[in-house]
Amino acid sequence: MSIERPLAPDPYDLLPEVPSFSLSSTDIGEGEPIADRFTPKGENISPQLSWSGAPAETKSFVVTCFDPDAPTPSGYWHWTVANLPASVTSLDTGAGAGNDALPGSAVHARTDGGALAWEGPNPPEGDREHRYMFAVHALDVEEIDVDENTSPAVVAFQCVFHTIARARLTGVCQR
């Protein structure tokens, strides 16, 4: 069976335009390969992320990691953290271990694989390079409606109506 297919569009190009702010990582460089340490092949821990320059009116953040290149019609959500307080401007390496590792009232939504935690890159063997798009969404509300049964797509849908700015960083992985 072949999994040849067209390159998926950048999903953020399909959303309403919002201002941007800065997102960086001590673990991942823009456009650079993601180290095995952050994949199921290694320790499967979440990378460090830091952001700055969000609007002063930000009331909370949502952090996501999405693979638009997964061989599905809807891509693959690897990480969704919602309801991060506006005072939080970074997540340490390994913060995606579970809800207990998150600051304040932040919570994980389930990954597409069902984890309430970080689920590292794991593209199909022999497939082309996959893009792992990290985004930090600055919201105009303190909390969105999310619990352990909320899908990342529902979180993303809620974000569309409350995002006032977005920061992005993309890493890549291929097996």
Side-chain angles (χ1 to χ4, degrees):
M1 174 175 84
S2 172
I3 55 174
E4 290 295 319
R5 61 208 180 278
L7 184 65
D10 181 324
Y12 297 103
D13 288 346
L14 306 175
L15 295 176
E17 192 172 322
V18 294
S20 64
F21 56 101
S22 297
L23 176 59
S24 62
S25 174
T26 58
D27 295 325
I28 295 174
E30 177 64 38
E32 297 293 320
I34 296 172
D36 284 346
R37 176 179 186 209
F38 305 102
T39 74
K41 184 177 177 180
E43 299 171 62
N44 198 35
I45 59 173
S46 60
Q48 184 276 341
L49 298 173
S50 297
W51 52 94
S52 62
E57 59 271 20
T58 300
K59 294 186 179 173
S60 68
F61 294 103
V62 169
V63 173
T64 61
C65 178
F66 180 71
D67 172 6
D69 302 314
T72 74
S74 58
Y76 196 97
W77 292 96
H78 285 266
W79 198 24
T80 303
V81 178
N83 301 334
L84 282 162
S87 61
V88 174
T89 58
S90 67
L91 291 173
D92 292 336
T93 303
N99 287 339
D100 292 342
L102 297 173
S105 59
V107 295
H108 282 98
R110 289 198 187 277
T111 66
D112 280 344
L116 277 171
W118 164 259
E119 183 180 345
N122 196 20
E125 187 77 35
D127 199 12
R128 67 169 170 247
E129 185 176 77
H130 285 219
R131 298 165 290 167
Y132 294 85
M133 298 180 171
F134 292 84
V136 177
H137 312 264
L139 305 184
D140 63 2
V141 294
E142 288 184 15
E143 290 191 352
I144 58 171
D145 188 20
V146 58
D147 64 28
E148 65 186 28
N149 297 312
T150 306
S151 72
V154 168
V155 171
F157 180 75
Q158 292 181 69
C159 284
V160 166
F161 301 98
H162 296 288
T163 297
I164 56 176
R166 183 179 302 112
R168 297 185 46 202
L169 173 70
T170 299
V172 296
C173 188
Q174 186 174 23
R175 301 245 181 266

